[in-house]
DNA sequence: ACTCTTGTTAAAAC
DNA sequence: GGTTTTAACAAGAG
């Protein structure tokens, strides 16, 4: 379940691995992943990767000398990138890596393979086929970007604006925080975590919250995202980095997946319900 | 066999 | 017309 910290972890690794590399060939194993684009491979062949940006959970690849060619990459729920060196191993990077995974690639969940001219490869795996890597022009990219609200980790995040925005929202605060057009980057895990830290109950209608509570929620969201970033994200089910490694923030989750366990703040039992159509974890005693 | 899992979106409802 | 809700997508785990 990649959210902002997981996507950023992958982006930073991809920056190290593929920036400046030239695409030699692309093999498409599943057409849906590239938006059924029949010219996908042809349009990317010979292109050199300039950089990779990110907004919310969306990665945007740009190419040298190309002002109107981009690759939009979304992991959705089960998308994974695996980078393999020219010598056939994972890139390494100081920490141990999942070596046994290398021999399984490509696997039955491999959807696209990018071959670079230096012999290295990038695999895009996606078990459930919700993710994509699609070619887009500059206009499409700007449209996609405009659909996102500010990120809580942005230095210039405007807390006053955020409080004003949610003041007339009649949905639960959980639903509002999951809405990428309000704030970008949060998903089911970090919304639950941020609300626990802010001591606000997820079912509360956003409009009923005070400006003070709104600010506390945004500050908590920022802190939770930043902390998760330092741990390389959270692996709850399917997330791995580009070497098949898990994110280590799971050990620090306060509520997500901890239903039936003790609240670390007040020792009450963490409960789980469904809010905004999603599994929702919170402490019914200290989140009010 | 059936329920549950989630990020996003299209469509329907309000 | 903006906001909100719901279902759909897909495939695996339990």
């Amino acid at each position: 379940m990649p959210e902002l910290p997981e996507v950023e972890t992958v982006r930073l690794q991809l920056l190290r691995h593929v920036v400046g590399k030239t695409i030699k060939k692309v093999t498409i194993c599943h057409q849906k992943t590239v938006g059924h684009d029949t010219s996908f491979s042809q349009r990317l062949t010979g292109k050199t990767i300039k950089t990779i940006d990110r907004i919310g959970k969306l990665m945007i690849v740009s190419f040298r000398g190309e002002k109107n060619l981009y690759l939009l990459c979304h992991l959705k729920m089960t998308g994974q990138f695996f980078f393999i060196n020219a010598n056939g191993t994972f890139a390494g990077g100081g920490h141990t890596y999942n070596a046994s995974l290398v021999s399984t690639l490509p696997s039955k969940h491999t959807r696209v393979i990018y071959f670079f001219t230096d012999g290295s490869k990038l695999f895009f795996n996606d078990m459930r086929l919700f993710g994509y890597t699609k070619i887009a022009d500059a206009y499409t990219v700007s449209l996609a970007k405009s659909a996102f609200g500010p990120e809580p980790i942005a230095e210039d995040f405007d807390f006053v604006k955020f409080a004003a925005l949610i003041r007339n929202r009649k949905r639960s605060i959980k639903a509002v925080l999951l809405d990428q057009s309000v704030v970008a980057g949060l998903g089911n895990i970090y919304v639950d975590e941020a609300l626990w830290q802010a001591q606000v109950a997820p079912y509360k209608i956003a409009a009923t919250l005070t400006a003070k509570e709104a600010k506390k929620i945004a500050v908590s969201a920022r802190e939770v995202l930043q902390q998760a970033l330092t741990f390389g994200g959270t692996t709850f089910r399917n997330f791995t980095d580009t070497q098949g490694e898990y994110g280590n923030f799971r050990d620090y989750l306060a509520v997500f997946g901890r239903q039936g366990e003790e609240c670390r703040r007040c020792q009450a039992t963490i409960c789980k319900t469904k809010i905004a159509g999603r599994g929702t974890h919170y402490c019914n005693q200290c989140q009010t």
Side-chain angles (χ1 to χ4, degrees):
Chain A
M1 298 171 267
E3 305 176 33
L4 189 152
E6 291 75 32
V7 177
E8 181 66 2
T9 297
V10 169
R11 185 184 77 92
L12 292 176
Q13 292 185 346
L14 288 178
L15 275 181
R16 284 212 323 268
H17 300 328
V18 303
V19 165
K21 297 208 167 157
T22 301
I23 295 172
K24 181 181 166 190
K25 184 177 84 168
V26 182
T27 298
I28 299 160
C29 310
H30 203 284
Q31 290 295 330
K32 189 197 173 193
T33 304
V34 298
H36 300 94
D37 182 349
T38 51
S39 62
F40 188 86
S41 182
Q42 174 254 316
R43 289 176 72 188
L44 291 179
T45 300
K47 303 292 188 274
T48 302
I49 294 176
K50 184 165 130 194
T51 193
I52 304 170
D53 296 310
R54 179 191 58 73
I55 179 163
K57 306 166 193 172
L58 181 68
M59 284 187 279
I60 305 167
V61 182
S62 53
F63 300 91
R64 285 187 186 163
E66 300 286 339
K67 288 192 162 60
N68 206 29
L69 179 72
Y70 297 90
L71 200 55
L72 297 180
C73 304
H74 205 301
L75 304 174
K76 288 288 179 90
M77 273 123 68
T78 58
Q80 303 167 320
F81 276 111
F82 296 118
F83 178 78
I84 294 187
N85 278 324
N87 65 13
T89 65
F90 277 126
H95 61 294
T96 56
Y97 57 87
N98 193 343
S100 62
L101 184 60
V102 174
S103 60
T104 69
L105 294 169
S107 69
K108 75 168 176 174
H109 298 311
T110 298
R111 308 309 183 187
V112 185
I113 311 170
Y114 300 85
F115 296 89
F116 298 105
T117 51
D118 70 348
S120 60
K121 302 169 212 169
L122 183 65
F123 293 80
F124 182 72
N125 274 29
D126 185 23
M127 181 179 78
R128 283 164 70 177
L129 291 168
F130 282 13
Y132 57 80
T133 66
K134 288 180 190 170
I135 289 174
D137 58 20
Y139 176 70
T140 306
V141 171
S142 70
L143 261 190
K145 280 184 176 174
S146 68
F148 289 98
E151 297 183 357
I153 57 167
E155 275 183 38
D156 61 348
F157 186 87
D158 191 333
F159 296 97
V160 177
K161 225 174 180 177
F162 173 71
L165 181 63
I166 71 167
R167 198 170 49 200
N168 42 24
R169 296 287 182 147
K170 293 175 179 62
R171 318 155 74 187
S172 65
I173 184 61
K174 164 120 187 180
V176 170
L177 292 177
L178 283 172
D179 186 338
Q180 303 298 299
S181 70
V182 177
V183 285
L186 297 169
N188 211 27
I189 294 177
Y190 297 116
V191 166
D192 284 4
E193 293 299 310
L195 288 173
W196 179 83
Q197 193 165 310
Q199 294 186 247
V200 172
Y203 52 77
K204 283 195 92 174
I205 301 302
T208 67
L209 299 171
T210 64
K212 198 176 170 184
E213 285 174 313
K215 177 164 186 181
K216 198 173 178 188
I217 289 167
V219 170
S220 298
R222 164 183 286 193
E223 288 172 355
V224 166
L225 290 176
Q226 270 169 348
Q227 211 186 348
L229 263 169
T230 67
F231 284 96
T234 302
T235 294
F236 199 81
R237 200 157 283 158
N238 295 295
F239 173 72
T240 78
D241 68 12
T242 62
Q243 297 171 75
E245 285 297 304
Y246 297 149
N248 293 316
F249 192 63
R250 184 177 173 152
D251 301 337
Y252 302 91
L253 294 175
V255 284
F256 195 90
R258 293 194 69 239
Q259 61 272 23
E261 295 178 44
E262 214 174 64
C263 173
R264 295 194 180 125
R265 187 164 47 214
C266 75
Q267 285 72 54
T269 304
I270 301 296
C271 63
K272 180 179 181 185
T273 56
K274 187 168 271 201
I275 296 171
R278 293 293 176 241
T280 300
H281 316 71
Y282 66 103
C283 176
N284 201 24
Q285 183 164 285
C286 65
Q287 285 177 260
T288 55

